[in-house]
Amino acid sequence: MRTELITVLDMDSREEALRAVELCATCQFFKIGSQLFTRCGPEIVREILDMGRKVFLDLKFHDIPNTVAKAAKGAADMGASLFTVHAIGGRRMIEAARVAVEGTETKILAVTILTSLSDEMLRLELGLPETTSEAVVRLAKQAVESGAHGLVSSPHEIVLVREAVGLKPLIVTPGIRPAWSTGKDDQVRITTPRQAAEAGANYIVVGRPIFKHENPAEAVRLIQEELV
Ligand code: C5P
């Protein structure tokens, strides 16, 4: 299995995003999240697809099954290759999303527990009795059983998640910092592209290390080189 790079377009404008896609000439796959989507809408997805690239739409749907199914169909109709839902939305929500994308090329990724949440927050704020790792494993299994094609996983949970769901589901991993990158930003538990690939990630998701580099095209090349 070859691990593929997805470059993050966390920008505020169409111009910045399209310039970034042009700069990252050797990258085929780009992530559009709430930041860019709330500024530019589906049009930016269309423009990036028209540039011959693939799109991961990271809007983390979490709503009643009917609404998520409609949004899933919207993502598929837009031509997104991947999009996210929150696993905590439950089985029926993911089953409905799966029915909605059946017959298309679009795949569903489930987000388990946000890495911004600690064990203590899970217990005190969400009322869950488990540790984050226990909750990640339980929700990952449930999401895949309900029809998710894959999971978003922190780098340090890739092995745990692989053990829980087996080899077939896709694992997509943010929190990547190449050894040459200058800082961790707000990422706490990080790994290099190579470590994430060796742990079994199908895709790594990288943003700031690429765009903080003086030559983003070179940063992309260096990351892709680690993945070969
Ligand atoms: O800039 P950086 O490489 O940290 O970008 C990582 C991307 O992955 C961001 O778009 C961020 O929202 C997303 N993400 C993350 N950590 C998670 C889940 C998603 O950083 N646990």
Side-chain angles (χ1 to χ4, degrees):
M1 177 197 78
R2 191 172 179 316
T3 306
E4 189 179 345
L5 169 66
I6 302 179
T7 300
V8 176
L9 297 176
D10 280 345
M11 284 120 191
D12 287 319
S13 74
R14 167 183 178 272
E15 291 69 29
E16 274 179 286
L18 296 181
R19 171 98 190 100
V21 175
E22 270 171 22
L23 274 177
C24 300
T26 59
C27 183
Q28 292 306 310
F29 218 142
F30 292 86
K31 178 171 98 88
I32 297 177
S34 331
Q35 183 182 347
L36 185 60
F37 197 79
T38 51
R39 297 274 171 200
C40 302
E43 190 53 32
I44 192 71
V45 176
R46 229 162 280 134
E47 286 191 271
I48 292 170
L49 295 176
D50 286 346
M51 293 167 86
R53 311 306 230 288
K54 292 185 280 186
V55 169
F56 167 17
L57 194 60
D58 185 19
L59 299 178
K60 298 187 179 67
F61 300 137
H62 182 186
D63 210 314
I64 58 171
N66 183 59
T67 302
V68 170
K70 296 281 185 336
K73 184 72 170 63
D77 287 347
M78 241 183 265
S81 297
L82 300 171
F83 72 92
T84 42
V85 300
H86 273 290
I88 213 135
R91 286 183 190 273
R92 281 181 49 230
M93 187 196 80
I94 296 178
E95 284 164 5
R98 178 62 186 256
V99 170
V101 301
E102 218 52 76
T104 75
E105 296 288 305
T106 303
K107 294 193 162 60
I108 306 166
L109 299 176
V111 174
T112 55
I113 299 291
L114 294 171
T115 47
S116 50
L117 296 171
S118 64
D119 284 355
E120 194 187 18
M121 288 157 87
L122 229 57
R123 193 163 37 82
L124 297 180
E125 297 178 25
L126 302 189
L128 293 177
E130 312 150 290
T131 63
T132 49
S133 301
E134 287 165 349
V136 164
V137 165
R138 176 176 60 80
L139 288 166
K141 281 186 187 158
Q142 180 176 291
V144 167
E145 284 166 14
S146 311
H149 301 88
L151 298 149
V152 177
S153 165
S154 95
H156 293 273
E157 280 157 356
I158 299 171
V159 173
L160 205 64
V161 170
R162 259 289 165 244
E163 268 175 27
V165 300
L167 289 176
K168 195 163 169 233
L170 299 172
I171 295 186
V172 177
T173 305
I176 303 293
R177 289 294 175 269
W180 46 260
S181 65
T182 43
K184 297 202 308 187
D185 303 305
D186 54 359
Q187 299 286 9
V188 183
R189 299 171 69 223
I190 54 172
T191 59
T192 65
R194 171 72 55 86
Q195 286 167 336
E198 284 173 356
N202 299 84
Y203 296 94
I204 58 165
V205 172
V206 188
R208 284 162 293 184
I210 294 173
F211 296 111
K212 280 185 170 178
H213 194 284
E214 56 180 15
N215 181 348
E218 172 68 1
V220 165
R221 198 190 61 72
L222 289 170
I223 293 169
Q224 288 172 329
E225 209 171 70
E226 274 191 54
L227 299 177
V228 173

